[in-house]
Amino acid sequence: MKYLLERIHSLRNDMYPSRKRGVAGRVTLRRDPVVYGGPNPPPLLDLEQVDAYRQQGYIVLENVFSEREVQVFQKELETLKEDNDIRSSDELITELESEEVRSVFRIHERSSLFRKLSRDNRISNIARYILDDEVYIHQSRANYKPGFRGKDFYWHSDFETWHVEDGMPRMRALSVSVILTESRNYNGPLMLIPKSHHHYIGCDGETPEGHYLSSLKKQELGIPSDDHLRRLTSEGGIKSVTGKPGSLVVFDCNLMHGSSSNISPYPRSNLFFVFNALSNKVEDPFCSLPPRPEYICTRKSISVI
Amino acid sequence: MKYLLERIHSLRNDMYPSRKRGVAGRVTLRRDPVVYGGPNPPPLLDLEQVDAYRQQGYIVLENVFSEREVQVFQKELETLKEDNDIRSSDELITELESEEVRSVFRIHERSSLFRKLSRDNRISNIARYILDDEVYIHQSRANYKPGFRGKDFYWHSDFETWHVEDGMPRMRALSVSVILTESRNYNGPLMLIPKSHHHYIGCDGETPEGHYLSSLKKQELGIPSDDHLRRLTSEGGIKSVTGKPGSLVVFDCNLMHGSSSNISPYPRSNLFFVFNALSNKVEDPFCSLPPRPEYICTRKSISVI
């Protein structure tokens, strides 16, 4: 059965092969645009920022949400964490070595406030413009990144995982992170490798069944080699994203990113929404495994924003 | 036997109790000066810097060693790492989850170059001035802090360990770190809590035998509570020490410090010399355990600089 699935998959056209025989370390030039939209960006963006996004793979927009709004989001974060229904589900992820909450998934369904936020024009207009299509939420989550014992998250391209494990065909998706507590140099900020989204790096290893159960705590597959990381950083450097609560980070699905541990007392909480173009809906995974659950990858309950 | 030792130790005058019954969380005001020296600091220091050291607990001195000197130190670092005699000894410490070298101890004895460096006036004059005494090396090491998989080091006061496990009686010691590869915000820089050296925090837990074998990889005892860390950082903040190769960081033995993980490709190598005042020589440990080995704590081979 597994062999048969592998044969079928090998016949399928895989534009971005990874975790397959013979492709580890293969670098593919990106085959898709970064910005799909035209010369008229939405209110929060100007063409200079669009150009920076195209070249660097990300933009930071400050003061998008007011202090008052951020307070309401923070309160909702606490509510979700304490919700018994969520706590007893798989959708709440704890830290690897402690019971502290690392993430809560599917917040655009779990919380009416965050559902509304995922549809807020300040965010969704950007997604619609950059992807130039109708969009839906591929994944959403609240990241608590607690202080003291917040673990690091190793370098990865989200797209590599979404492609291999979820069957997202092309690079036509982006992530929006809403900063909820000040992101500083020393509380495990999001670190990006600018320009890394122009290349796709085939990774080593075969994906084991149920991989998502551990990979949400610690990324161990779908990670590029030391040499590739050296090459990427020698070209683009490393950008630690610092910023005040209420700021937005928008970044391309294939931008290499990670974060260091957070031993400071200050949590680095944020909300995370992944927008995918409707024309880029997920298909069968590009590995020989059953699809990941709905709370990690929207498949059945696609709802256009 | 253990009971007897405990009784004897409880009779001894312990100025800075920690890891003992009833002292966890006890905050003691520092009972010793920070700067012992007078109004005439050595060439590399002015009185403003001395004052900053007294108040903040540290100073950073840039460009103390030339590029050429740093290159020679770096080469020696590689030599030590490859030395078979060192590799087969306990004095080389690997990372917790890999075989990568984290530290090599006793470099002031192992390497004639680093022996000379430990006696270099640019460093030792500062130690002699601040401690106002003859000085010797209590501990020395090379920290490799490799890229990609360099783990974090949790908050601790060195003095707490040196007092409890080594029997260093008073706060009359300091550390000098020589930066050998650029220390950046994103490669796990040394993080200090300014002003934290004015208080001593009693820690929880009893020290198990052979604790040093694991604590050199991962600090799990002698760490302050979350509440204490919150209090310390709310007063002093957190200082990430960035700097070019050849810079010096001088910090007080009781300054709370730690570092985040380093997932960047850039190692953060440095040399580390601990100077203790001769009048403050180590005695019996303040816990009921045999002393730690000579490579971690100079006890028998004290040699005045």
Side-chain angles (χ1 to χ4, degrees):
Chain A
M1 178 65 180
K2 196 180 164 203
Y3 175 76
L4 210 68
L5 273 171
E6 268 176 11
R7 290 288 300 161
I8 294 169
H9 279 100
S10 70
L11 296 173
R12 194 171 155 209
N13 191 15
D14 185 349
M15 303 291 281
Y16 294 108
S18 183
R19 306 190 213 173
K20 283 179 176 176
R21 211 166 298 149
V23 304
R26 187 194 290 173
V27 179
T28 313
L29 203 63
R30 182 188 183 106
R31 298 165 190 266
D32 298 303
V34 178
V35 177
Y36 288 76
N40 298 306
L44 280 177
L45 285 185
D46 60 35
L47 278 174
E48 209 175 307
Q49 286 168 309
V50 172
D51 215 46
Y53 180 88
R54 186 184 288 109
Q55 286 176 37
Q56 307 289 320
Y58 73 95
I59 34 168
V60 181
L61 303 170
E62 283 171 15
N63 300 314
V64 175
F65 295 99
S66 70
E67 235 173 274
R68 176 80 195 107
E69 286 176 301
V70 168
Q71 277 168 9
V72 175
F73 299 159
Q74 281 168 336
K75 215 176 143 211
E76 183 76 353
L77 219 64
E78 292 308 305
T79 307
L80 288 178
K81 204 166 73 171
E82 301 307 330
D83 183 297
N84 279 330
D85 188 34
I86 294 178
R87 288 190 79 85
S88 61
S89 77
D90 289 341
E91 301 179 17
L92 181 146
I93 313 292
T94 56
E95 288 284 338
L96 193 61
E97 291 171 4
S98 75
E99 286 307 301
E100 276 182 282
V101 176
R102 182 180 178 104
S103 306
V104 168
F105 275 77
R106 209 168 58 93
I107 55 169
H108 72 293
E109 301 274 4
R110 284 283 192 180
S111 149
S112 59
L113 179 72
F114 291 149
R115 181 176 188 80
K116 213 174 118 198
L117 178 60
S118 72
R119 292 162 180 272
D120 188 306
N121 276 340
R122 286 170 287 182
I123 295 182
S124 60
N125 275 347
I126 296 174
R128 267 186 297 266
Y129 166 75
I130 291 178
L131 307 177
D132 195 22
D133 196 354
E134 291 192 285
V135 296
Y136 71 94
I137 299 292
H138 169 69
Q139 185 188 97
S140 71
R141 61 178 193 261
N143 293 318
Y144 290 79
K145 191 105 184 177
F148 303 111
R149 285 160 292 273
K151 289 297 163 207
D152 50 23
F153 217 107
Y154 202 68
W155 301 109
H156 63 286
S157 145
D158 286 331
F159 178 76
E160 196 270 350
T161 297
W162 298 339
H163 180 70
V164 173
E165 297 191 31
D166 295 338
M168 185 184 282
R170 308 294 293 245
M171 294 181 187
R172 196 168 185 170
L174 58 79
S175 297
V176 176
S177 172
V178 183
I179 296 180
L180 292 190
T181 56
E182 188 165 348
S183 185
R184 312 164 196 241
N185 275 321
Y186 53 72
N187 65 343
L190 175 67
M191 303 196 298
L192 309 169
I193 304 183
K195 303 182 188 171
S196 57
H197 62 307
H198 296 304
H199 292 88
Y200 179 76
I201 295 171
C203 296
D204 202 2
E206 209 184 323
T207 317
E209 196 147 353
H211 173 238
Y212 66 90
L213 290 171
S214 61
S215 74
L216 302 181
K217 295 192 182 206
K218 191 174 177 192
Q219 186 97 15
E220 280 176 332
L221 274 182
I223 58 175
S225 73
D226 292 3
D227 267 354
H228 286 112
L229 285 171
R230 262 189 217 102
R231 268 200 265 168
L232 291 176
T233 53
S234 74
E235 197 177 328
I238 293 177
K239 164 75 181 172
S240 296
V241 182
T242 54
K244 296 270 181 210
S247 304
L248 285 191
V249 192
V250 185
F251 63 101
D252 180 79
C253 60
N254 188 44
L255 193 72
M256 201 63 77
H257 63 286
S259 61
S260 296
S261 58
N262 179 14
I263 67 168
S264 88
Y266 312 108
R268 188 179 65 78
S269 308
N270 60 84
L271 305 173
F272 201 77
F273 297 101
V274 180
F275 291 86
N276 191 20
L278 193 62
S279 59
N280 195 38
K281 277 201 308 272
V282 298
E283 301 170 359
D284 286 340
F286 284 88
C287 62
S288 325
L289 285 181
R292 301 197 295 176
E294 195 73 17
Y295 70 87
I296 302 179
C297 162
T298 307
R299 184 176 296 274
K300 295 174 199 141
S301 53
I302 288 177
S303 153
V304 171
I305 281 169
Chain B
M1 178 64 179
K2 198 180 164 205
Y3 174 77
L4 210 67
L5 273 169
E6 268 175 10
R7 290 288 301 161
I8 294 169
H9 279 102
S10 69
L11 296 173
R12 191 170 156 213
N13 190 15
D14 184 349
M15 302 293 279
Y16 294 108
S18 183
R19 305 189 214 174
K20 282 179 177 178
R21 212 166 300 150
V23 304
R26 187 193 292 174
V27 180
T28 313
L29 203 62
R30 183 187 183 106
R31 298 164 188 269
D32 299 304
V34 178
V35 177
Y36 288 76
N40 298 308
L44 280 177
L45 285 186
D46 59 35
L47 278 174
E48 209 174 310
Q49 286 169 309
V50 172
D51 216 45
Y53 180 88
R54 185 184 289 109
Q55 285 177 36
Q56 307 289 320
Y58 73 95
I59 34 168
V60 181
L61 302 170
E62 283 171 15
N63 299 315
V64 175
F65 295 98
S66 71
E67 237 173 272
R68 176 83 195 105
E69 286 176 300
V70 169
Q71 276 167 11
V72 176
F73 299 158
Q74 280 167 337
K75 214 175 145 212
E76 183 77 353
L77 218 61
E78 291 309 305
T79 307
L80 289 179
K81 202 167 74 169
E82 301 306 330
D83 184 295
N84 279 330
D85 189 33
I86 293 179
R87 289 189 77 85
S88 61
S89 77
D90 289 340
E91 302 178 18
L92 181 145
I93 313 290
T94 57
E95 288 285 339
L96 192 62
E97 291 170 5
S98 76
E99 286 307 301
E100 277 181 282
V101 176
R102 183 182 177 102
S103 306
V104 168
F105 274 76
R106 209 166 57 95
I107 56 169
H108 72 293
E109 301 274 4
R110 284 284 191 178
S111 151
S112 60
L113 179 71
F114 291 149
R115 182 177 187 80
K116 214 174 117 199
L117 178 59
S118 72
R119 292 162 180 273
D120 188 306
N121 276 340
R122 286 170 286 183
I123 294 182
S124 60
N125 275 347
I126 296 175
R128 267 187 296 267
Y129 166 74
I130 291 178
L131 306 178
D132 195 23
D133 197 355
E134 292 192 283
V135 297
Y136 71 95
I137 299 290
H138 169 69
Q139 184 188 96
S140 71
R141 61 178 191 262
N143 293 318
Y144 291 79
K145 190 103 186 176
F148 302 112
R149 286 161 292 275
K151 289 296 164 210
D152 48 25
F153 218 107
Y154 201 69
W155 300 111
H156 62 286
S157 146
D158 286 332
F159 177 76
E160 196 272 350
T161 296
W162 299 337
H163 180 71
V164 174
E165 298 190 31
D166 295 338
M168 184 183 282
R170 309 293 293 243
M171 294 181 189
R172 196 169 185 169
L174 58 80
S175 297
V176 176
S177 171
V178 183
I179 296 180
L180 292 189
T181 57
E182 188 167 347
S183 186
R184 311 165 198 239
N185 274 320
Y186 53 72
N187 66 344
L190 176 66
M191 302 195 299
L192 310 169
I193 304 183
K195 303 181 189 171
S196 57
H197 62 308
H198 295 304
H199 292 88
Y200 179 76
I201 295 172
C203 296
D204 202 2
E206 208 183 326
T207 317
E209 196 147 355
H211 174 237
Y212 66 90
L213 290 171
S214 61
S215 74
L216 302 181
K217 296 192 183 205
K218 192 176 177 191
Q219 185 95 17
E220 279 174 334
L221 274 182
I223 58 176
S225 73
D226 293 2
D227 267 354
H228 286 113
L229 286 170
R230 264 192 216 102
R231 269 201 265 169
L232 291 176
T233 53
S234 76
E235 196 177 329
I238 294 177
K239 164 77 181 170
S240 296
V241 182
T242 55
K244 298 269 181 213
S247 304
L248 285 191
V249 192
V250 186
F251 62 101
D252 179 78
C253 60
N254 188 43
L255 193 70
M256 200 63 75
H257 62 287
S259 61
S260 296
S261 59
N262 178 15
I263 67 167
S264 88
Y266 312 108
R268 188 178 66 78
S269 308
N270 60 83
L271 306 173
F272 200 79
F273 298 100
V274 180
F275 292 87
N276 191 20
L278 193 62
S279 59
N280 194 39
K281 277 202 308 272
V282 298
E283 301 170 359
D284 287 339
F286 284 88
C287 60
S288 324
L289 285 180
R292 302 196 296 175
E294 195 74 16
Y295 70 87
I296 303 180
C297 162
T298 308
R299 181 176 298 272
K300 295 174 200 141
S301 53
I302 288 176
S303 153
V304 171
I305 282 170

